[in-house]
Amino acid sequence: RTKLGARLRVTEEEVKRVLDVKYQGGSVEEEIHSRHILIKVGDTAGPMQVNALRTKAWELWDKVNQPGADFGKLAEEFSDDVGTDVGGDLGFMRRWMLDPTFARTLWPMTKAGAISPVIQTPFGFHIIQFLERRMAKARDPRYVQQMVRALLTEQQFIKLYGAWIAELKASHHIEIRLR
């Protein structure tokens, strides 16, 4: 590798070309804007308490799905999540930022204003409202650039290694004896 390493040359133009073609100039990720209502389930809740909270969540789901219901106002009134913005707004989130069950429910939703069924996560019971979807650049385009550079360097190394082996075979006598 030391002998070949000096011959490795990945140019900025090559990196930029790959970034532009494959990663739209720095990689993009899908983000979804949503809000939710959380009915929190405590760590020490027993089966009867969990069932009562599930019933409460489904009753709230019925309210949310009434014609003219305001999801934001219901979230402010009933949600146990104090960490969200006004109206249960979660803002734009990337899939890897969410609980897997939450993400599996949210990601297939496509219609703005769509309401999920009640789901359970380790935090409690959720009712999710899908608002919008967008593509956004990765948080750190430098990481994508480093990844592309490493990939191009590896590909170049493999080509140079193959050429070096072919050169060695051509310039040396190799004899393989089977007994």
Side-chain angles (χ1 to χ4, degrees):
R1 186 163 180 113
T2 305
K3 196 172 206 171
L4 297 177
R7 294 168 44 189
L8 293 175
R9 298 278 184 265
V10 176
T11 66
E12 289 302 313
E13 291 79 25
E14 289 174 296
V15 173
K16 184 176 179 348
R17 182 179 50 81
V18 172
L19 280 171
D20 290 343
V21 171
K22 287 190 174 181
Y23 299 97
Q24 297 180 11
S27 187
V28 293
E29 279 186 278
E30 192 173 46
E31 293 181 323
I32 292 182
H33 184 200
S34 64
R35 49 189 177 180
H36 80 139
I37 298 171
L38 170 67
I39 305 300
K40 191 174 176 118
V41 175
D43 295 336
T44 59
M48 298 293 283
Q49 292 169 308
V50 171
N51 199 35
L53 293 170
R54 180 183 291 111
T55 301
K56 178 182 175 183
W58 278 106
E59 288 170 356
L60 187 53
W61 184 85
D62 288 336
K63 286 182 182 181
V64 166
N65 283 287
Q66 293 293 317
D70 185 330
F71 191 97
K73 286 183 182 174
L74 290 168
E76 288 176 19
E77 186 177 343
F78 294 104
S79 184
D80 295 330
D81 188 358
V82 294
T84 56
D85 288 337
V86 176
D89 195 336
L90 294 169
F92 280 96
M93 303 288 281
R94 295 165 190 219
R95 189 175 188 126
W96 55 266
M97 299 168 87
L98 299 168
D99 174 83
T101 303
F102 196 101
R104 270 194 307 273
T105 303
L106 179 58
W107 244 252
M109 297 171 80
T110 57
K111 185 179 176 190
I115 308 291
S116 75
V118 173
I119 63 164
Q120 185 174 3
T121 71
F123 305 102
F125 296 99
H126 303 261
I127 302 167
I128 307 167
Q129 183 181 43
F130 172 84
L131 298 174
E132 62 182 308
R133 181 184 311 262
R134 71 179 182 193
M135 296 301 286
K137 289 192 178 201
R139 284 182 22 184
D140 191 352
R142 292 175 300 173
Y143 169 76
V144 178
Q145 187 177 13
Q146 290 170 351
M147 179 191 70
V148 168
R149 182 173 282 109
L151 178 66
L152 291 173
T153 302
E154 182 180 351
Q155 289 172 348
Q156 196 175 74
F157 177 79
I158 290 168
K159 284 181 186 174
L160 288 172
Y161 183 76
W164 180 62
I165 293 295
E167 182 183 311
L168 285 176
K169 285 181 180 178
S171 64
H172 293 79
H173 176 74
I174 299 173
E175 195 174 308
I176 300 173
R177 297 182 186 199
L178 300 173
R179 290 187 178 177

